[in-house]
Structures are given as structure tokens and as C-alpha cells.
Amino acid sequence: MVRSRGAGRLSWGILGLGEIAHDMARDLTRSSRSRLAGVAARDPDRARRFAARRQGVRAHASYRALVNDDDIDVVYVASIHPLHRDLALQALAAGKHVLVEKPLGLNATHARDIAAAARGQGRFCMEAMWMRFNPLVTRVVQEVAEGRLGDLKTVHADLSHAFEYDPAHRVFDLRLGGGSLLDLGVYPAHLAWLLLGAPKHVEASCVMAASGVDAAAEMTWHYGTGRLAGLTCSLQRAAPSTATVVGTKGTITLQAPMQAPASVVLDCGGRTRIWNQSPESLGYLPEIREVEDCVLADALESPRATLEDSVGVLTVLDDVRSQLGIRYPSET
């Protein structure tokens, strides 16, 4: 039974124990309203080792055992991309609230399946697009909405990282949903969606890796109103990974890394202002707090990261992949 009302503290379970799960486990300890109660991995020994290093955390023998644990309120799906839909559906069917690591699914169809199941079960569900809850990103969205930049014209955003090529690595394996788009490009895509909404049409190009994934991709989102977004991502280069928002009255620059900037620069009316943020805001704690706020208030979605937005971004990325001729083997 999910103990969301009146309990005041949520018990979390994590499915999949890659690097991001370690970061989430660390930040869960920093919240007074949450605790990590259980973990599960494809390799049960890995789950046991993970749990042994953390007091009060139980290692489950399987994913299904964790989602059926009555002590778990919220399930965080941190598995490889192709498992997101099935694990989210399992957790929702067991009556859990669910936070699904980005992307919500391999494609928009997967995302719609998750959204429909969450609504059918009456459970909270959200994509773990932690950038949306970063305080400086939130401030940028607010400044734009209040007209500080005048009429918004363009969003330029890049997120890139230099990975050593290894066809066995997750990001270079097409079977695992590898490629720059789903690992990195989702962040520029969500930023453009936050600021400009859904594009009218999209043009895309890419550089392919020998393993068949997009090693680098470039997207231009056209809005038909004199607005556009130029978005890039790459697994091959250590690019600046910044974002610039341009309006008729000024610009805002999100310093690297653009999905969690340590500072933002506003140039407007001949004046320059710099906003900085504390290291606490660079992690997953703001996202955790959003889940807590929503679940403890019996909200089924976050108004700041709706399932409709997640489906919309994946619909655009599906279009991009169609143009590039990229299809994941596990897509249905």
C-alpha cells in the first residue's frame, strides 16, 4: 500500500544501478521527506553490494520483487533506455508512484503508454528531466515569460561530451537506445520546448558512429513566426555545452553545463547581470523535492514537467530519427 498521505516521508526504490542511481541515492539522503528503502538491478549481486554500503536499504532479488514491496512508495526507474516503459508499467500496475529517468520512453508511443497507465492507475508519474527544476533554468524561463528579453527570437543550445569510442558502451549501442539524441539531445530539446513550445517543422542532420548510432546530431526547430531553435549534441567532442536565448531586447546565456548551469548571464539594455547558484542546486535535490511536493499533495502530475511535454519532445525526436534513418531494434 502506498503511504503518500499523512506519512510525511516517502520510501523510494531504485530500479537499475548505473552511475545516475548513485547520484540519486546520495541526494535522497539530503531530503528530510524521503528515504531510500530498496534497490534492484539486473545483477542481484550488484544490488546487494549497493545496499550494503547504505544503512537501511534493502536489496531485492529482481525488479518485480521491488515494485511489489509494500514498503516502497515511489519507484525511480534508472535502467537502460529500452527498459523504461516496461519497468514503469510494472511499477504503476503495482500501485507505485513513478519517476522515470530521461527519456520517458524510447519513443513517443512508449511515453504515451506510460502516461495512460499512470492516469489509469491514479498514480503520480514524471520524467526525470531534472534540468526543469534547476533554479537558474527556472529563472530563465520566468524572465522570458515576463518579457525581459522582449520578443523571443532564437534558442541556441548544445550539450556535448567526448566519449572514447567503444561499441560495447551503452551510448554507442543501438540496441540499448544509444546515440547522442536520447542521452544528450533531450536537454536542448526540453529547453527549446520550455521556451518556444512545439515547433511547426524540424530539419535534422547527423554524423553516424560505426556502431550505427548518431554520434552527433543537429536540429533546427522552425516555428513559422520568425522564431527558431538551433540545437546540437555530440558524443565526440567536448564542446562548450552552453545555451543562448535571444530576444529583441537582450540575451541570456546559460553557462556550461547548460542543463545545470552554475551561472547565467543576462545582457539587456546595455547592462549585464550575472546570477549564480549554490552547489546544492546542481544535483537532483530540486527534482526530488518536486516529486515530494506532488505526491504528498496527491497530485498526479507535476505542472512544471507534464507528461504531455515529455510525449511532445519525444514526438519531435521521433521525427528527427525518421529523417536520419535511425530505429532502435527494441522499438514497437
Side-chain angles (χ1 to χ4, degrees), residues 9 23 37 52 188 236 264 281:
R9 198 171 189 216
D23 294 339
Q236 298 178 316
V264 164
S281 299

Side-chain angles (χ1 to χ4, degrees), residues 219-235:
M219 301 174 278
T220 303
W221 292 18
H222 297 271
Y223 290 85
T225 57
R227 297 178 169 187
L228 60 83
L231 313 175
T232 55
C233 53
S234 176
L235 304 174

Side-chain angles (χ1 to χ4, degrees), residues 33-200:
R33 296 188 295 172
S34 288
R35 70 180 184 96
L36 179 58
V39 295
R42 286 181 295 175
D43 178 0
D45 287 336
R46 188 174 192 180
R48 284 190 285 270
R49 292 193 299 269
F50 189 101
R53 296 192 293 270
R54 294 164 176 84
Q55 186 175 3
V57 178
R58 178 184 175 187
H60 291 74
S62 67
Y63 292 143
R64 189 168 294 278
L66 185 146
V67 302
N68 288 326
D69 184 346
D70 288 340
D71 191 39
I72 301 294
D73 300 315
V74 181
V75 170
Y76 171 51
V77 178
S79 66
I80 56 175
H81 300 339
L83 295 182
H84 285 188
R85 176 178 62 173
D86 289 348
L87 292 182
L89 294 181
Q90 283 185 38
L92 289 165
K96 309 303 184 188
H97 304 292
V98 180
L99 177 67
V100 185
E101 189 47 54
K102 58 82 186 167
L104 185 60
L106 274 181
N107 53 41
T109 297
H110 286 195
R112 290 188 192 98
D113 290 345
I114 294 171
R119 290 161 184 156
Q121 291 291 333
R123 288 292 179 259
F124 173 82
C125 183
M126 186 178 83
E127 180 182 14
M129 179 45 64
W130 59 298
M131 178 189 73
R132 284 176 172 255
F133 308 103
N134 180 280
L136 283 188
V137 174
T138 299
R139 181 156 191 173
V140 169
V141 174
Q142 180 180 350
E143 294 288 327
V144 170
E146 292 177 353
R148 181 66 65 90
L149 298 185
D151 184 18
L152 190 61
K153 291 299 183 182
T154 60
V155 174
H156 299 283
D158 172 82
L159 186 58
S160 298
H161 181 79
F163 289 89
E164 182 178 353
Y165 179 69
D166 176 2
H169 191 287
R170 175 185 62 81
V171 298
F172 292 106
D173 191 336
L174 192 65
R175 296 169 303 172
L176 303 184
S180 63
L181 281 170
L182 293 192
D183 253 85
L184 301 173
V186 289
Y187 291 104
H190 270 271
L191 182 65
W193 190 278
L194 272 170
L195 296 173
L196 293 171
K200 298 292 186 183

